[in-house]
Coordinates of all heavy atoms in Angstrom, one line a residue:
V1 N -4.5 65.4 16.1 CA -3.3 64.6 15.6 C -3.5 64.4 14.1 O -4.5 64.0 13.6 CB -3.3 63.2 16.3 CG1 -2.1 62.4 15.8 CG2 -3.3 63.4 17.8
N2 N -2.4 64.7 13.3 CA -2.6 64.6 11.9 C -2.3 63.1 11.4 O -1.9 62.3 12.2 CB -1.7 65.6 11.1 CG -0.2 65.2 11.2 OD1 0.2 64.1 11.3 ND2 0.6 66.2 11.1
V3 N -2.6 62.9 10.2 CA -2.6 61.5 9.7 C -1.2 60.9 9.7 O -1.0 59.7 10.0 CB -3.3 61.3 8.4 CG1 -2.5 61.9 7.2 CG2 -3.7 59.9 8.1
D4 N -0.2 61.7 9.4 CA 1.2 61.2 9.5 C 1.6 60.7 10.8 O 2.3 59.7 11.0 CB 2.2 62.3 9.0 CG 2.1 62.5 7.5 OD1 1.7 61.6 6.8 OD2 2.4 63.6 7.1
V5 N 1.2 61.4 11.9 CA 1.5 61.0 13.2 C 0.7 59.7 13.5 O 1.3 58.8 14.1 CB 1.1 62.1 14.2 CG1 1.2 61.6 15.6 CG2 1.9 63.4 14.0
K6 N -0.5 59.7 13.1 CA -1.3 58.5 13.3 C -0.7 57.3 12.6 O -0.6 56.2 13.2 CB -2.7 58.6 12.7 CG -3.6 59.5 13.6 CD -4.3 58.6 14.6 CE -5.5 59.4 15.2 NZ -5.9 58.8 16.5
L7 N -0.2 57.5 11.4 CA 0.4 56.4 10.6 C 1.7 56.0 11.2 O 2.0 54.8 11.1 CB 0.6 56.9 9.1 CG -0.7 57.0 8.3 CD1 -0.3 57.6 7.0 CD2 -1.3 55.7 8.1
G8 N 2.3 56.9 11.9 CA 3.6 56.5 12.5 C 3.4 55.5 13.6 O 4.4 54.9 14.0
I9 N 2.2 55.4 14.1 CA 1.9 54.4 15.1 C 2.0 53.0 14.6 O 2.3 52.0 15.3 CB 0.5 54.7 15.8 CG1 0.6 56.0 16.5 CG2 0.1 53.6 16.8 CD1 -0.8 56.5 16.9
N10 N 1.6 52.9 13.3 CA 1.6 51.5 12.7 C 3.0 51.1 12.2 O 3.8 51.9 11.9 CB 0.6 51.5 11.5 CG -0.8 51.9 12.0 OD1 -1.2 51.4 13.0 ND2 -1.5 52.7 11.2
K11 N 3.1 49.8 12.2 CA 4.4 49.2 11.8 C 4.2 48.5 10.4 O 3.2 47.8 10.3 CB 4.8 48.2 12.8 CG 6.2 47.7 12.7 CD 6.5 46.8 13.9 CE 7.0 45.5 13.3 NZ 7.1 44.4 14.3
F12 N 5.1 48.7 9.5 CA 5.0 48.0 8.2 C 6.2 47.0 8.0 O 7.3 47.3 8.3 CB 5.1 49.0 7.1 CG 3.9 50.0 7.2 CD1 4.1 51.3 7.8 CD2 2.7 49.7 6.7 CE1 3.1 52.2 7.9 CE2 1.6 50.6 6.8 CZ 1.8 51.8 7.4
N13 N 5.8 45.9 7.6 CA 6.9 44.9 7.2 C 6.7 44.7 5.7 O 5.8 44.0 5.3 CB 6.6 43.6 8.0 CG 7.7 42.6 7.8 OD1 8.8 43.0 7.3 ND2 7.5 41.4 8.2
V14 N 7.6 45.3 5.0 CA 7.4 45.4 3.5 C 8.0 44.2 2.8 O 9.2 43.8 3.0 CB 8.0 46.7 2.9 CG1 7.8 46.7 1.4 CG2 7.4 47.9 3.6
D15 N 7.2 43.5 2.0 CA 7.6 42.4 1.2 C 8.3 42.9 0.0 O 7.6 43.1 -1.0 CB 6.4 41.5 0.9 CG 6.7 40.2 0.4 OD1 7.9 39.9 0.1 OD2 5.8 39.3 0.3
E16 N 9.6 43.1 0.0 CA 10.3 43.9 -1.0 C 10.2 43.2 -2.4 O 10.1 43.8 -3.4 CB 11.8 44.0 -0.7 CG 12.0 44.7 0.7 CD 11.9 46.2 0.6 OE1 11.6 46.7 -0.5 OE2 12.1 46.8 1.7
D17 N 10.2 41.9 -2.4 CA 10.3 41.1 -3.7 C 8.9 40.8 -4.3 O 8.8 40.3 -5.4 CB 11.0 39.8 -3.5 CG 12.4 40.1 -3.0 OD1 13.0 41.1 -3.4 OD2 12.9 39.3 -2.1
N18 N 7.9 41.1 -3.5 CA 6.6 40.7 -3.9 C 5.5 41.7 -3.7 O 4.8 41.6 -2.7 CB 6.3 39.4 -3.1 CG 5.1 38.6 -3.7 OD1 4.6 38.9 -4.7 ND2 4.7 37.6 -3.0
P19 N 5.4 42.7 -4.6 CA 4.4 43.8 -4.3 C 3.0 43.2 -4.3 O 2.7 42.3 -5.1 CB 4.6 44.7 -5.5 CG 5.5 44.0 -6.5 CD 6.2 42.9 -5.8
H20 N 2.2 43.6 -3.4 CA 0.8 43.0 -3.3 C -0.1 43.8 -4.1 O -1.2 43.4 -4.4 CB 0.4 42.9 -1.8 CG 0.2 44.2 -1.1 ND1 1.2 45.0 -0.7 CD2 -0.9 44.8 -0.7 CE1 0.7 46.1 -0.1 NE2 -0.6 46.0 -0.1
I21 N 0.3 45.0 -4.6 CA -0.5 45.8 -5.5 C 0.4 46.2 -6.7 O 1.5 46.7 -6.5 CB -1.0 47.1 -4.8 CG1 -1.9 46.8 -3.6 CG2 -1.7 48.0 -5.8 CD1 -2.2 48.0 -2.7
I22 N -0.1 46.0 -7.9 CA 0.7 46.3 -9.1 C -0.1 47.2 -10.0 O -1.3 46.9 -10.3 CB 1.2 45.1 -9.8 CG1 2.1 44.2 -9.0 CG2 1.9 45.5 -11.1 CD1 2.5 42.9 -9.6
V23 N 0.5 48.4 -10.3 CA -0.2 49.3 -11.3 C 0.0 48.8 -12.7 O 1.1 48.3 -13.0 CB 0.4 50.7 -11.1 CG1 -0.2 51.7 -12.1 CG2 0.1 51.2 -9.7
K24 N -1.0 48.9 -13.5 CA -0.9 48.4 -14.9 C 0.2 49.3 -15.6 O 0.4 50.4 -15.3 CB -2.2 48.7 -15.6 CG -3.3 47.7 -15.4 CD -4.5 48.0 -16.2 CE -5.3 46.8 -16.5 NZ -6.4 47.1 -17.4
S25 N 0.7 48.7 -16.7 CA 1.7 49.5 -17.4 C 1.1 50.7 -18.2 O 1.7 51.7 -18.4 CB 2.5 48.6 -18.4 OG 1.6 47.9 -19.2
Q26 N -0.2 50.5 -18.5 CA -0.9 51.6 -19.2 C -2.2 51.9 -18.4 O -3.3 51.5 -18.8 CB -1.4 51.2 -20.6 CG -0.2 50.8 -21.5 CD 0.5 52.0 -22.1 OE1 -0.2 53.0 -22.4 NE2 1.8 51.9 -22.3
P27 N -2.1 52.4 -17.2 CA -3.3 52.6 -16.3 C -4.2 53.7 -16.9 O -3.7 54.6 -17.5 CB -2.7 53.0 -15.0 CG -1.4 53.6 -15.3 CD -0.9 52.9 -16.5
D28 N -5.4 53.6 -16.5 CA -6.4 54.7 -16.8 C -6.0 55.9 -16.0 O -6.0 55.8 -14.7 CB -7.8 54.2 -16.4 CG -8.9 55.2 -16.7 OD1 -8.6 56.5 -16.5 OD2 -10.0 54.9 -17.1
M29 N -5.5 56.9 -16.6 CA -5.0 58.1 -15.9 C -6.0 58.8 -15.1 O -5.7 59.4 -14.0 CB -4.2 59.0 -16.8 CG -2.8 58.4 -17.2 SD -1.9 57.8 -15.9 CE -1.4 59.2 -14.9
Q30 N -7.3 58.8 -15.5 CA -8.3 59.4 -14.7 C -8.5 58.7 -13.4 O -8.7 59.3 -12.3 CB -9.6 59.5 -15.5 CG -9.8 60.7 -16.3 CD -11.1 60.7 -17.1 OE1 -11.5 59.7 -17.6 NE2 -11.7 61.9 -17.2
V31 N -8.4 57.4 -13.4 CA -8.5 56.6 -12.2 C -7.3 56.8 -11.3 O -7.4 57.0 -10.1 CB -8.7 55.1 -12.5 CG1 -8.7 54.3 -11.3 CG2 -10.0 54.9 -13.3
M32 N -6.1 56.9 -11.9 CA -4.9 57.1 -11.2 C -5.0 58.5 -10.4 O -4.6 58.6 -9.3 CB -3.7 57.1 -12.1 CG -3.3 55.8 -12.6 SD -2.9 54.6 -11.3 CE -1.2 55.1 -10.9
E33 N -5.5 59.5 -11.2 CA -5.7 60.8 -10.6 C -6.6 60.7 -9.3 O -6.4 61.3 -8.3 CB -6.4 61.7 -11.6 CG -6.5 63.1 -11.3 CD -5.2 63.9 -11.7 OE1 -4.5 63.4 -12.6 OE2 -5.0 64.9 -11.1
L34 N -7.7 59.9 -9.5 CA -8.6 59.7 -8.4 C -7.9 59.1 -7.2 O -8.1 59.4 -6.0 CB -9.8 58.8 -8.9 CG -11.0 58.6 -8.0 CD1 -11.7 59.9 -7.7 CD2 -11.9 57.6 -8.7
L35 N -7.0 58.1 -7.5 CA -6.4 57.4 -6.4 C -5.4 58.3 -5.6 O -5.2 58.1 -4.5 CB -5.6 56.2 -7.0 CG -6.5 55.1 -7.6 CD1 -5.6 54.0 -8.1 CD2 -7.5 54.6 -6.5
T36 N -4.9 59.4 -6.3 CA -4.0 60.3 -5.6 C -4.8 61.0 -4.5 O -4.2 61.4 -3.5 CB -3.4 61.4 -6.5 OG1 -4.4 62.2 -7.0 CG2 -2.6 60.8 -7.6
K37 N -6.1 61.1 -4.7 CA -6.9 61.7 -3.6 C -7.6 60.7 -2.7 O -7.9 61.0 -1.5 CB -8.0 62.6 -4.3 CG -7.5 63.6 -5.2 CD -8.6 64.5 -5.8 CE -8.1 65.6 -6.7 NZ -8.0 65.1 -8.1
A38 N -7.7 59.5 -3.2 CA -8.5 58.5 -2.4 C -7.7 57.7 -1.4 O -8.2 57.2 -0.4 CB -9.3 57.6 -3.4
C39 N -6.4 57.5 -1.8 CA -5.6 56.6 -0.9 C -5.4 57.3 0.4 O -4.8 58.4 0.5 CB -4.3 56.2 -1.6 SG -3.2 55.3 -0.5
P40 N -5.8 56.7 1.6 CA -5.6 57.4 2.8 C -4.2 57.5 3.3 O -3.8 58.4 4.1 CB -6.4 56.5 3.8 CG -6.5 55.2 3.2 CD -6.5 55.4 1.7
A41 N -3.3 56.7 2.7 CA -1.9 56.7 3.1 C -1.1 57.6 2.1 O 0.1 57.8 2.3 CB -1.3 55.3 3.1
G42 N -1.8 58.2 1.1 CA -1.1 59.0 0.1 C 0.0 58.4 -0.7 O 1.0 58.9 -1.0
L43 N -0.2 57.1 -1.1 CA 0.8 56.3 -1.8 C 0.8 56.5 -3.3 O 1.8 56.2 -3.9 CB 0.7 54.9 -1.4 CG 0.8 54.5 0.0 CD1 0.6 53.0 0.2 CD2 2.1 55.0 0.7
Y44 N -0.3 57.1 -3.8 CA -0.3 57.5 -5.2 C 0.0 58.9 -5.3 O -0.7 59.8 -4.8 CB -1.7 57.2 -5.8 CG -2.1 55.8 -5.8 CD1 -2.6 55.2 -4.7 CD2 -1.9 55.0 -6.9 CE1 -3.0 53.8 -4.7 CE2 -2.2 53.6 -7.0 CZ -2.8 53.1 -5.8 OH -3.1 51.7 -5.8
K45 N 1.2 59.2 -5.8 CA 1.7 60.6 -5.8 C 1.8 61.2 -7.2 O 2.5 60.7 -8.1 CB 3.1 60.7 -5.1 CG 3.0 60.4 -3.6 CD 4.2 61.0 -2.9 CE 4.2 60.6 -1.4 NZ 4.5 59.2 -1.1
K46 N 1.2 62.3 -7.4 CA 1.2 63.1 -8.6 C 2.6 63.6 -8.8 O 3.2 64.3 -7.9 CB 0.2 64.2 -8.6 CG 0.0 64.9 -9.9 CD -1.0 64.3 -10.7 CE -1.1 64.9 -12.1 NZ -2.3 65.8 -12.1
Q47 N 3.2 63.4 -10.0 CA 4.6 63.9 -10.3 C 4.5 65.2 -11.1 O 3.4 65.5 -11.7 CB 5.4 62.9 -11.1 CG 5.4 61.5 -10.4 CD 6.1 61.5 -9.1 OE1 7.3 61.8 -9.0 NE2 5.4 61.3 -8.0
D48 N 5.5 65.9 -11.2 CA 5.5 67.2 -11.9 C 5.2 67.0 -13.4 O 4.6 67.9 -14.0 CB 6.9 67.9 -11.8 CG 7.1 68.4 -10.4 OD1 6.1 68.6 -9.6 OD2 8.3 68.6 -10.0
D49 N 5.6 65.9 -13.9 CA 5.3 65.6 -15.4 C 3.9 65.1 -15.6 O 3.5 64.7 -16.7 CB 6.3 64.7 -15.9 CG 6.2 63.2 -15.3 OD1 5.3 63.0 -14.5 OD2 7.0 62.4 -15.7
G50 N 3.1 65.1 -14.6 CA 1.7 64.6 -14.7 C 1.4 63.2 -14.5 O 0.3 62.7 -14.4
S51 N 2.5 62.4 -14.4 CA 2.4 61.0 -14.1 C 2.1 60.8 -12.7 O 2.2 61.7 -11.9 CB 3.6 60.2 -14.6 OG 4.7 60.6 -13.7
V52 N 1.7 59.6 -12.3 CA 1.4 59.2 -10.9 C 2.3 58.1 -10.5 O 2.4 57.1 -11.2 CB 0.0 58.8 -10.7 CG1 -0.3 58.4 -9.3 CG2 -1.0 60.0 -11.1
R53 N 3.1 58.3 -9.4 CA 3.9 57.3 -8.9 C 3.3 56.5 -7.8 O 2.6 57.2 -6.9 CB 5.2 57.9 -8.4 CG 6.5 57.3 -9.0 CD 7.7 57.8 -8.3 NE 8.0 57.0 -7.1 CZ 8.6 57.4 -6.0 NH1 9.0 58.7 -6.0 NH2 8.8 56.6 -5.0
F54 N 3.4 55.3 -7.7 CA 2.8 54.5 -6.6 C 3.9 53.7 -5.9 O 4.8 53.1 -6.5 CB 1.8 53.5 -7.2 CG 1.3 52.5 -6.1 CD1 0.5 53.0 -5.1 CD2 1.6 51.2 -6.2 CE1 0.1 52.1 -4.1 CE2 1.1 50.3 -5.3 CZ 0.4 50.7 -4.2
D55 N 3.8 53.7 -4.6 CA 4.8 52.9 -3.8 C 3.9 52.1 -2.8 O 3.2 52.7 -2.0 CB 5.7 53.9 -3.0 CG 6.7 53.1 -2.1 OD1 6.7 51.8 -2.2 OD2 7.5 53.7 -1.5
Y56 N 4.0 50.8 -2.9 CA 3.1 50.0 -2.0 C 3.5 49.9 -0.6 O 2.7 49.5 0.3 CB 2.9 48.6 -2.6 CG 4.2 47.8 -2.6 CD1 4.4 46.8 -1.6 CD2 5.1 47.9 -3.7 CE1 5.6 46.1 -1.6 CE2 6.3 47.1 -3.7 CZ 6.5 46.2 -2.7 OH 7.6 45.5 -2.7
A57 N 4.8 50.3 -0.3 CA 5.2 50.3 1.1 C 4.4 51.4 1.9 O 4.3 52.5 1.5 CB 6.7 50.6 1.2
G58 N 3.8 51.0 3.0 CA 3.0 51.9 3.7 C 1.5 51.7 3.5 O 0.7 52.4 4.1
C59 N 1.2 50.7 2.7 CA -0.3 50.5 2.4 C -1.0 50.0 3.7 O -0.5 49.2 4.4 CB -0.3 49.4 1.3 SG -2.0 48.8 1.0
L60 N -2.2 50.6 3.9 CA -3.0 50.3 5.0 C -3.9 49.1 4.8 O -4.7 48.8 5.6 CB -3.8 51.5 5.5 CG -2.9 52.7 5.8 CD1 -3.8 53.9 6.0 CD2 -2.1 52.4 7.1
E61 N -3.9 48.6 3.5 CA -4.8 47.4 3.2 C -6.2 47.8 3.4 O -7.1 47.0 3.8 CB -4.4 46.2 4.0 CG -2.9 45.8 3.7 CD -2.3 44.8 4.7 OE1 -3.1 44.1 5.3 OE2 -1.1 44.9 5.0
C62 N -6.6 49.0 3.0 CA -8.0 49.5 3.2 C -8.9 49.0 2.1 O -10.1 48.9 2.3 CB -8.0 51.0 3.3 SG -7.7 51.9 1.8
G63 N -8.3 48.7 0.9 CA -9.0 48.2 -0.2 C -9.7 49.3 -1.1 O -10.3 49.0 -2.1
T64 N -9.4 50.6 -0.7 CA -10.0 51.6 -1.5 C -9.6 51.6 -3.0 O -10.4 51.7 -3.9 CB -9.7 53.0 -0.9 OG1 -10.1 53.0 0.4 CG2 -10.3 54.1 -1.7
C65 N -8.3 51.4 -3.2 CA -7.8 51.4 -4.6 C -8.2 50.2 -5.3 O -8.3 50.2 -6.5 CB -6.3 51.7 -4.7 SG -5.3 50.4 -3.9
R66 N -8.5 49.1 -4.6 CA -9.0 47.9 -5.2 C -10.3 48.1 -5.8 O -10.6 47.8 -6.9 CB -9.0 46.8 -4.2 CG -9.5 45.5 -4.7 CD -9.5 44.4 -3.6 NE -9.7 43.1 -4.1 CZ -10.9 42.5 -4.3 NH1 -12.0 43.2 -3.9 NH2 -11.0 41.3 -4.8
I67 N -11.2 48.8 -5.0 CA -12.6 49.0 -5.5 C -12.6 50.0 -6.6 O -13.3 49.9 -7.6 CB -13.4 49.6 -4.3 CG1 -13.6 48.4 -3.3 CG2 -14.8 50.1 -4.8 CD1 -14.1 48.9 -1.9
L68 N -11.7 51.1 -6.5 CA -11.7 52.1 -7.5 C -10.9 51.8 -8.8 O -11.3 52.2 -9.9 CB -11.2 53.4 -6.9 CG -11.9 54.1 -5.8 CD1 -11.2 55.3 -5.3 CD2 -13.3 54.5 -6.3
G69 N -9.9 51.0 -8.6 CA -9.0 50.9 -9.7 C -8.6 49.5 -10.3 O -8.0 49.4 -11.3
L70 N -9.1 48.4 -9.6 CA -8.7 47.1 -10.1 C -9.3 46.9 -11.5 O -10.5 47.0 -11.6 CB -9.1 46.0 -9.1 CG -8.6 44.6 -9.4 CD1 -7.0 44.6 -9.4 CD2 -9.1 43.6 -8.4
G71 N -8.5 46.6 -12.4 CA -9.0 46.3 -13.8 C -8.7 47.5 -14.7 O -8.2 47.4 -15.8
S72 N -8.9 48.7 -14.2 CA -8.7 49.9 -15.0 C -7.3 50.5 -14.8 O -6.6 50.9 -15.7 CB -9.7 51.0 -14.7 OG -9.8 51.3 -13.3
A73 N -6.9 50.6 -13.5 CA -5.6 51.1 -13.2 C -4.6 50.1 -12.6 O -3.4 50.2 -12.7 CB -5.7 52.3 -12.3
L74 N -5.2 49.1 -11.9 CA -4.4 48.1 -11.2 C -4.5 46.8 -11.9 O -5.6 46.4 -12.2 CB -4.8 48.1 -9.8 CG -4.8 49.4 -9.0 CD1 -5.2 49.1 -7.5 CD2 -3.4 50.1 -9.0
E75 N -3.4 46.1 -12.0 CA -3.5 44.7 -12.5 C -3.5 43.7 -11.4 O -3.9 42.5 -11.6 CB -2.4 44.4 -13.5 CG -1.0 44.4 -13.0 CD 0.0 43.9 -14.0 OE1 0.0 44.5 -15.1 OE2 0.7 43.0 -13.7
K76 N -3.2 44.1 -10.2 CA -3.2 43.1 -9.1 C -3.5 43.9 -7.8 O -3.0 45.0 -7.6 CB -1.8 42.5 -9.0 CG -1.6 41.6 -7.8 CD -0.2 41.0 -7.8 CE 0.1 40.3 -6.4 NZ 1.5 39.7 -6.4
W77 N -4.3 43.3 -7.0 CA -4.5 43.8 -5.6 C -4.8 42.5 -4.7 O -5.8 41.9 -4.9 CB -5.7 44.7 -5.5 CG -5.7 45.5 -4.2 CD1 -5.4 46.8 -4.1 CD2 -6.0 45.0 -2.9 NE1 -5.5 47.2 -2.8 CE2 -5.9 46.1 -2.0 CE3 -6.4 43.8 -2.4 CZ2 -6.1 46.0 -0.7 CZ3 -6.6 43.7 -1.0 CH2 -6.5 44.8 -0.2
E78 N -3.8 42.3 -3.9 CA -4.0 41.1 -2.9 C -3.6 41.6 -1.6 O -2.8 42.6 -1.4 CB -3.0 40.0 -3.3 CG -3.5 39.3 -4.6 CD -2.5 38.3 -5.1 OE1 -1.4 38.1 -4.5 OE2 -2.7 37.6 -6.1
Y79 N -4.0 40.9 -0.6 CA -3.4 41.2 0.8 C -2.0 40.7 0.8 O -1.7 39.7 0.1 CB -4.2 40.5 1.8 CG -5.5 41.2 2.1 CD1 -6.7 40.7 1.6 CD2 -5.6 42.4 2.8 CE1 -7.9 41.4 1.9 CE2 -6.7 43.1 3.0 CZ -7.9 42.6 2.5 OH -9.1 43.3 2.8
P80 N -1.1 41.4 1.5 CA 0.3 40.9 1.6 C 0.3 39.5 2.1 O -0.6 39.1 2.9 CB 0.9 41.9 2.6 CG 0.1 43.1 2.5 CD -1.3 42.6 2.3
R81 N 1.4 38.8 1.8 CA 1.6 37.4 2.3 C 1.6 37.5 3.8 O 2.0 38.5 4.4 CB 2.9 36.8 1.8 CG 2.9 36.6 0.3 CD 4.1 35.9 -0.2 NE 5.3 36.7 0.0 CZ 6.6 36.2 0.0 NH1 6.7 34.9 -0.2 NH2 7.6 37.0 0.1
G82 N 1.3 36.4 4.5 CA 1.3 36.3 6.0 C 2.6 36.9 6.5 O 3.6 36.8 5.9
T83 N 2.5 37.6 7.6 CA 3.6 38.3 8.3 C 4.0 39.6 7.7 O 4.6 40.4 8.3 CB 4.9 37.5 8.6 OG1 5.6 37.4 7.5 CG2 4.5 36.1 9.2
F84 N 3.6 39.8 6.4 CA 4.0 41.0 5.7 C 2.8 42.0 5.8 O 1.6 41.6 6.0 CB 4.4 40.8 4.3 CG 5.7 40.2 4.1 CD1 5.8 38.9 3.8 CD2 6.9 40.9 4.3 CE1 7.0 38.2 3.6 CE2 8.1 40.3 4.2 CZ 8.2 39.0 3.8
G85 N 3.1 43.3 5.6 CA 2.0 44.2 5.6 C 1.9 45.1 6.8 O 2.9 45.1 7.6
V86 N 0.8 45.7 7.0 CA 0.7 46.6 8.1 C 0.3 45.9 9.4 O -0.5 44.9 9.4 CB -0.4 47.7 7.8 CG1 -1.8 47.2 7.6 CG2 -0.3 48.8 8.9
E87 N 0.8 46.3 10.5 CA 0.4 45.8 11.8 C -0.1 46.9 12.6 O 0.6 47.9 12.8 CB 1.7 45.2 12.5 CG 1.5 44.6 13.8 CD 2.8 44.2 14.4 OE1 3.6 43.4 13.7 OE2 3.1 44.6 15.5
Y88 N -1.4 46.9 12.8 CA -2.0 48.1 13.5 C -1.7 48.1 15.0 O -1.7 47.1 15.7 CB -3.5 48.1 13.3 CG -3.9 48.5 11.9 CD1 -4.2 47.5 11.0 CD2 -3.9 49.8 11.5 CE1 -4.5 47.8 9.7 CE2 -4.3 50.2 10.2 CZ -4.6 49.2 9.3 OH -4.9 49.5 8.0
R89 N -1.3 49.3 15.4 CA -1.1 49.4 16.9 C -2.0 50.5 17.4 O -2.3 51.4 16.7 CB 0.4 49.9 17.1 CG 1.4 48.9 16.7 CD 2.8 49.5 16.9 NE 3.8 48.5 16.7 CZ 5.1 48.8 16.6 NH1 5.5 50.1 16.8 NH2 6.0 47.9 16.4
Y90 N -2.4 50.3 18.6 CA -3.3 51.3 19.2 C -2.7 51.9 20.4 O -2.0 51.2 21.2 CB -4.7 50.6 19.5 CG -5.3 50.0 18.3 CD1 -5.1 48.7 17.9 CD2 -6.1 50.8 17.4 CE1 -5.6 48.2 16.7 CE2 -6.6 50.3 16.2 CZ -6.4 49.0 15.9 OH -6.9 48.5 14.8
G91 N -3.0 53.1 20.7 CA -2.6 53.7 21.9 C -1.2 54.3 21.7 O -0.6 54.3 20.7
Ligands
SF4_101 FE1 -3.8 53.1 -0.4 FE2 -5.7 51.7 0.7 FE3 -4.8 51.1 -1.8 FE4 -3.3 50.6 0.3 S1 -5.3 49.6 -0.2 S2 -2.6 51.6 -1.6 S3 -3.8 52.3 1.7 S4 -5.9 53.0 -1.1

């Protein structure tokens, strides 16, 4: 089973007005590059112009980008507010 199928099992309730992760306006691009490979949900996407786009919807709250990027690439990393975020389903 590939990861997209697996991810399809989970349900996301996206807090549209309140991103729980915010990328800095001038992020360290080497770190951003790393995040395109490290995020298990593939939410950091390399663009044709070399920039990296991030969409917090679909975040698995694994904390990988927090460890790798908070301070250098990210200005905020928090768990989503109660009832928002990923709800893991099994089976
Ligand atoms: Fe991706 Fe994990 Fe960061 Fe969420 S916490 S954006 S799933 S690396």
Side-chain angles (χ1 to χ4, degrees):
V1 181
N2 72 31
V3 73
D4 288 332
V5 172
K6 285 271 194 201
L7 288 172
I9 295 168
N10 298 320
K11 192 179 124 193
F12 298 97
N13 187 13
V14 178
D15 194 347
E16 304 282 358
D17 301 323
N18 193 8
H20 67 288
I21 299 171
I22 298 176
V23 174
K24 283 183 154 187
S25 54
Q26 304 277 325
D28 181 322
M29 286 312 292
Q30 272 180 320
V31 175
M32 289 299 282
E33 189 86 23
L34 187 62
L35 294 178
T36 65
K37 302 187 180 85
C39 173
L43 300 181
Y44 294 84
K45 290 200 184 76
K46 189 86 184 258
Q47 305 297 294
D48 289 340
D49 66 2
S51 66
V52 175
R53 237 191 79 209
F54 172 68
D55 182 0
Y56 66 96
C59 173
L60 300 171
E61 299 160 33
C62 70
T64 302
C65 63
R66 178 178 194 272
I67 292 165
L68 295 176
L70 189 61
S72 55
L74 307 179
E75 65 173 54
K76 172 179 169 182
W77 196 107
E78 288 171 0
Y79 284 104
R81 294 187 293 166
T83 76
F84 288 105
V86 66
E87 182 184 305
Y88 286 98
R89 293 176 176 173
Y90 302 94

